[in-house]
Amino acid sequence: MHMNSDSLRTHVQIIAWLNIVLGIMSLIGGLVAFLMLGGLGLAAASQAPHDPDAGAAGAFFGGFGAILAGVAVISGLPSLLVGIGMLRYAPWSRILCIVLSILHLVNASTMGLSTVLGIYSLIILLQSDSSRVFRS
């Protein structure tokens, strides 16, 4: 499949915005998980004077929320960074997006959205003409 430069630029812009949206969704999901599980942990820990197991449950939920938030940040920031770089046609962003797209193929946390984005990105970015878009 051969695409002209304008068509490739359009696809790169679409990939960029989809990565930005995916990154923001991941960050928001992590924040929500942290707030919900952290709040649940605080509620459980507040019952510790009345129930000795509540303190352990509070620590578990709070810790689990912090871990989920950390994973969401670790997975969301690269997508956000790639999207911004691709909007600017930064040469490094093409390579990073190819690597990230391969990782997206096995990411089950987004219910298939990242897999579809990974396939689409690889189809576009592995074309021989796509590197020219990032040089001009």
Side-chain angles (χ1 to χ4, degrees):
M1 173 173 39
H2 178 72
M3 291 188 195
N4 63 28
S5 181
D6 290 337
S7 180
L8 277 172
R9 284 184 175 278
T10 301
H11 284 287
V12 167
Q13 293 288 308
I14 292 169
I15 292 167
W17 282 110
L18 289 174
N19 270 290
I20 290 171
V21 168
L22 188 66
I24 290 171
M25 284 174 39
S26 180
L27 294 174
I28 289 172
L31 178 64
V32 167
F34 178 73
L35 292 175
M36 288 180 65
L37 291 171
L40 184 61
L42 284 174
S46 71
Q47 298 301 313
H50 309 294
D51 182 2
D53 294 331
F60 171 77
F61 285 116
F64 190 62
I67 289 170
L68 282 180
V71 168
V73 167
I74 289 170
S75 67
L77 282 179
S79 291
L80 200 56
L81 179 66
V82 160
I84 292 168
M86 290 186 73
L87 285 176
R88 298 177 179 164
Y89 299 104
W92 58 264
S93 66
R94 177 180 174 264
I95 301 301
L96 188 56
C97 189
I98 289 170
V99 171
L100 191 59
S101 296
I102 292 168
L103 295 175
H104 281 326
L105 295 177
V106 295
N107 182 359
S109 67
T110 59
M111 297 173 288
L113 293 175
S114 63
T115 303
V116 172
L117 176 58
I119 292 168
Y120 174 53
S121 299
L122 289 172
I123 289 171
I124 299 302
L125 297 176
L126 290 177
Q127 293 186 29
S128 59
D129 294 341
S130 73
S131 62
R132 287 189 215 143
V133 171
F134 291 90
R135 284 189 223 139
S136 56

